[in-house]
Amino acid sequence: MSAAAAAAAGGSALRPALALALALWPSPARAGFSCRPGARPVVFNFGDSNSDTGGPAAKGWHIAPPEGRAFFHHPTGRFCDGRLVIDFLCESLNISYLSPYLKALGSNYSNGVNFAISGSTTLPRDALFVLHGQVQEFFFFKARSLELINQGLFAVQMK
């Protein structure tokens, strides 16, 4: 299928290439990734159901068991039964799993945010769930976080 045909069908011609790149990507340690001493990495994830860690629950969709039984042993609001590639990335960086951006309660954004949401596409830009929208949410999140930091309502650990 051509890239244009995949985009017209709501898919992405780049998805297989991205999956292959992630599969072949070396671990952060082997790739030479490092933070300055005392600093922690922060991850911002954009994508679709391949990396959505709770968008369906944030949209009010209740996903009942058996979802979540393989690893978490309870429903997590994901369209899967266990961990995703983004979870393994977080484990390799020794940080907690990413909270979904749309999750109102119990979120922890200290190590990053997951903007991915199931059903997201790259085109058209006016679709309900689209990459462009995730990027706009990121800009809003960044601006609001900086406001809260400046007001002293959000602590930032910097070394």
Side-chain angles (χ1 to χ4, degrees), residues 54-143:
K59 291 185 271 186
W61 298 345
H62 177 72
I63 303 171
E67 182 276 320
R69 71 179 173 189
F71 181 77
F72 297 101
H73 308 294
H74 61 83
T76 60
R78 299 169 176 218
F79 283 135
C80 70
D81 192 25
R83 293 173 288 178
L84 301 165
V85 171
I86 191 69
D87 298 322
F88 292 105
L89 174 69
C90 290
E91 287 176 8
S92 73
L93 295 172
N94 200 28
I95 60 176
S96 61
Y97 299 133
L98 297 179
S99 291
Y101 173 69
L102 296 174
K103 184 178 177 186
L105 301 174
S107 293
N108 176 0
Y109 302 128
S110 63
N111 62 302
V113 182
N114 192 350
F115 294 94
I117 194 157
S118 296
S120 187
T121 65
T122 53
L123 294 171
R125 288 176 58 126
D126 60 347
L128 182 57
F129 304 116
V130 68
L131 179 61
H132 172 74
Q134 294 175 30
V135 172
Q136 294 304 311
E137 290 169 347
F138 168 74
F139 290 140
F140 176 78
F141 178 83
K142 178 183 173 187

